[in-house]
Amino acid sequence: MADSTFDIVSKVDQMEADNAVNQAQKEIATRYDFKGVGASIEWSGEKLLLKASAEERVKAVLEVLEAKFIKRGISLRSLDAGEPFASGKEYRIEISLKNGISSEDAKKVSKIIRDEGPKGVKSQIQGDELRVQSKSRDDLQATMALLKGKDLDVDLQFVNFR
């Protein structure tokens, strides 16, 4: 019998991210405390750019955006928000979305599987994802449960379960 496998990936659904940004833009446009402070959210290539006239206002814009991401089912671990910085008369925050598992994070996950996972489970790093295989599907499901219980720096999804 062939081995069963699944892949561990870290991807952000771009459509859900767009929807979250659009909802946040609508809320910022209608909220009274954002009137006259030049608050905005916009895509700048692959990054999001948050702008406002004061540092605390741009942090409030970030909080609104994070709330919308949570409602759309996108983990905040997928966001890489920078610190507020002054740019002329306004403050800005740049946010990038993390896609893919970095090699050091993949090594951490692989070490967890090796040390704490069931005995017959093997993991293999393939670019920005991780392939996990075993003869037993139950061992693979136990491995998924183990990784879901861990507090890792990346948002993990499990795909291609065969």
Side-chain angles (χ1 to χ4, degrees), residues 20-25 28 38-43 48-51 61-62 64-65 95:
V21 169
N22 290 338
Q23 287 178 341
Q25 286 171 335
I28 288 168
S40 69
I41 301 172
E42 57 194 46
W43 286 103
L48 282 167
L49 188 61
L50 282 56
K51 299 179 190 175
V61 171
L62 177 62
V64 169
L65 182 66
I95 299 174

Side-chain angles (χ1 to χ4, degrees), residues 21-160:
V21 169
N22 290 338
Q23 287 178 341
Q25 286 171 335
K26 284 180 186 174
E27 183 171 329
I28 288 168
T30 59
R31 268 182 43 179
Y32 179 75
D33 57 338
F34 288 120
K35 295 281 188 236
V37 295
S40 69
I41 301 172
E42 57 194 46
W43 286 103
S44 170
E46 287 291 310
K47 296 185 177 189
L48 282 167
L49 188 61
L50 282 56
K51 299 179 190 175
S53 61
E55 185 174 349
E56 61 273 356
R57 287 292 89 200
V58 78
K59 286 181 179 177
V61 171
L62 177 62
E63 288 175 12
V64 169
L65 182 66
E66 287 176 345
K68 298 303 177 190
F69 269 90
I70 290 170
K71 278 188 176 176
R72 302 299 294 179
I74 300 173
S75 173
L76 294 184
R77 292 181 184 150
S78 300
L79 297 180
D80 189 16
E83 291 296 315
F85 62 92
S87 175
K89 292 182 177 178
E90 64 186 9
Y91 282 84
R92 297 179 176 197
I93 295 179
E94 282 189 348
I95 299 174
S96 59
L97 301 176
K98 296 180 195 173
N99 275 321
I101 303 174
S102 67
S103 61
E104 57 266 3
D105 287 331
K107 288 176 185 173
K108 285 181 195 173
V109 171
S110 186
K111 183 171 175 18
I112 290 171
I113 292 171
R114 211 175 36 248
D115 294 346
E116 302 174 31
K119 287 289 180 222
V121 177
K122 297 181 192 81
S123 63
Q124 178 180 2
I125 299 171
Q126 296 180 337
D128 61 350
E129 57 185 45
L130 208 65
R131 166 81 38 98
V132 181
Q133 63 186 24
S134 172
K135 292 199 182 310
S136 166
R137 287 175 157 253
D138 293 339
D139 287 349
L140 290 179
Q141 289 176 336
T143 303
M144 284 184 200
L146 169 73
L147 293 175
K148 285 179 185 173
K150 292 290 177 185
D151 187 29
L152 298 167
D153 296 339
V154 290
D155 180 37
L156 299 178
Q157 292 96 27
F158 306 107
V159 296
N160 298 336

